[in-house]
Amino acid sequence: MAKESNKSINKINKPTQKIAGSSKLFGDKAKLHDLTVREISKLVVAQLEEEYPQLTFRYRTSIRKEEINEALKKIDPELGQTLFVPNSSIIPDGGIIEVKDDNDNWRVILVSEAKHQGKDIENIKKGILVGKDNNQDLMAAGNAIERSHKNISEIANFMLAESHFPYVLFLEGSNFLTETIAIERPDGRMVMLEYNSGMLNRLDRLTSANYGMPINTNLCVNKFVKHKDKTIMLQATSIYTQGKGEKWNSKEMFDIMMEIARTSLKVLGSDLFNQITKK
């Protein structure tokens, strides 16, 4: 039985279809224009359905706070008790993808968001000066991106009983540089954007969501750390950023999202066994 189980799990780990991004589903239309993360998520669902026809997937745009509280109550009755607005929900940019397990329970396998913050590169290239008196090359970074923490925390609560956390956050814009770049203005003057400038960089505002672990890394599988007599489960967000502030390529996002979804299926393998082996 153990050998048969391992073979079945390998069906999940090693799909027979082409690697992500090479599918016909990601065709000419996708290459012709920029896709939103929500549109890419729907392509991911279609690709998963093609690769794993034994499994049932669904896509939804939101999760109700009431559902999150119910998931918490199943872990401990003291959790999930407070709710002031009955119809409140969270709405990640890319929505939520789930798979139905052998017990007919829906399990989250991918949650995605894409955020752009910092228009300094675009402004410099156009020769636009900013600031109160319109005499600065750079605009001090704002804090809008920190709103992502709410959705991350809510999904973490919803998935507290799971051993994976498939939340991926794509970042682009001048507030998320990982290297120093030089941008030329129309008049020929070069403007330096320092990646370690406190005025510009906001990556450190988000790395609390992955416990300071590496960015541009698939952290979907929860990490268990031991400290003295405690074992602590870490649910880390997989944060991906374009080092030079450029826009994300839709195909690259698709590939990353497929990798994380497949990792989720691998973690859930034993709960999908009956469907995978069904003839």
Side-chain angles (χ1 to χ4, degrees):
M1 180 67 178
K3 289 184 178 179
E4 185 179 354
S5 176
N6 288 336
K7 288 180 182 178
S8 300
I9 300 307
N10 285 338
K11 290 182 183 178
I12 295 179
N13 298 349
K14 299 177 182 179
T16 56
Q17 300 292 332
K18 298 176 183 179
I19 60 170
S22 62
S23 168
K24 290 183 292 183
L25 295 170
F26 202 93
D28 294 335
K29 182 179 179 182
K31 297 173 185 176
L32 290 175
H33 68 287
D34 294 327
L35 297 176
T36 66
V37 67
R38 180 168 294 187
E39 291 170 324
I40 298 171
S41 288
K42 292 178 181 178
L43 287 175
V44 168
V45 174
Q47 178 71 15
L48 290 169
E49 290 173 340
E50 181 181 295
E51 291 188 5
Y52 309 107
Q54 312 98 314
L55 301 176
T56 302
F57 300 93
R58 76 173 179 183
Y59 172 87
R60 53 177 172 156
T61 58
S62 63
I63 293 181
R64 291 178 292 110
K65 180 75 174 179
E66 186 177 31
E67 289 181 74
I68 297 170
N69 279 4
E70 288 301 319
L72 288 169
K73 287 176 187 176
K74 290 178 182 178
I75 298 171
D76 188 291
E78 290 189 13
L79 304 179
Q81 294 189 33
T82 304
L83 180 63
F84 295 102
V85 183
N87 63 347
S88 63
S89 61
I90 61 162
I91 309 174
D93 299 336
I96 303 101
I97 299 175
E98 295 164 297
V99 65
K100 184 180 285 188
D101 68 15
D102 291 343
N103 297 312
D104 288 334
N105 295 315
W106 288 104
R107 312 284 287 277
V108 177
I109 61 169
L110 182 67
V111 183
S112 53
E113 287 202 282
K115 301 296 182 185
H116 182 287
Q117 185 169 305
K119 297 178 65 177
D120 300 283
I121 296 171
E122 297 93 324
N123 288 340
I124 293 168
K125 286 181 177 180
K126 294 176 181 177
I128 298 173
L129 293 175
V130 296
K132 182 180 178 181
D133 299 317
N134 294 321
N135 61 355
Q136 302 172 201
D137 290 314
L138 307 178
M139 176 69 74
N143 298 317
I145 191 62
E146 294 183 20
R147 296 172 192 158
S148 294
H149 281 295
K150 178 185 183 297
N151 285 351
I152 292 169
S153 296
E154 295 285 16
I155 296 294
N157 284 345
F158 188 60
M159 300 189 67
L160 193 57
E162 300 282 16
S163 295
H164 67 295
F165 188 60
Y167 201 111
V168 59
L169 178 60
F170 294 99
L171 304 176
E172 63 183 30
S174 56
N175 291 165
F176 305 118
L177 301 178
T178 58
E179 55 187 284
T180 296
I181 59 174
I183 306 297
E184 184 176 3
R185 286 173 44 84
D187 60 10
R189 180 166 62 86
M190 302 298 293
V191 179
M192 300 297 294
L193 275 67
E194 303 282 348
Y195 78 94
N196 56 357
S197 165
M199 177 183 175
L200 278 181
N201 202 304
R202 286 295 177 267
L203 276 172
D204 286 337
R205 302 283 180 95
L206 289 166
T207 50
S208 62
N210 74 349
Y211 303 92
M213 288 192 283
I215 61 173
N216 296 332
T217 303
N218 178 358
L219 300 175
C220 177
V221 180
N222 290 353
K223 186 177 181 65
F224 292 84
V225 297
K226 290 188 176 182
H227 178 69
K228 296 182 179 179
D229 61 340
K230 303 183 187 73
T231 299
I232 306 165
M233 184 180 78
L234 305 181
Q235 298 167 289
T237 303
S238 299
I239 301 173
Y240 288 82
T241 185
Q242 293 283 42
K244 295 182 178 180
E246 65 267 34
K247 288 180 66 65
W248 272 98
N249 175 278
S250 298
K251 180 181 176 298
E252 290 178 351
M253 293 174 70
F254 176 83
D255 289 346
I256 291 167
M257 290 161 71
M258 281 299 303
E259 179 190 353
I260 291 174
R262 289 194 186 110
T263 301
S264 296
L265 293 176
K266 179 179 177 180
V267 173
L268 294 171
S270 61
D271 291 335
L272 305 173
F273 176 79
N274 292 339
Q275 296 172 81
I276 292 295
T277 57
K278 186 177 180 180
K279 294 182 181 179

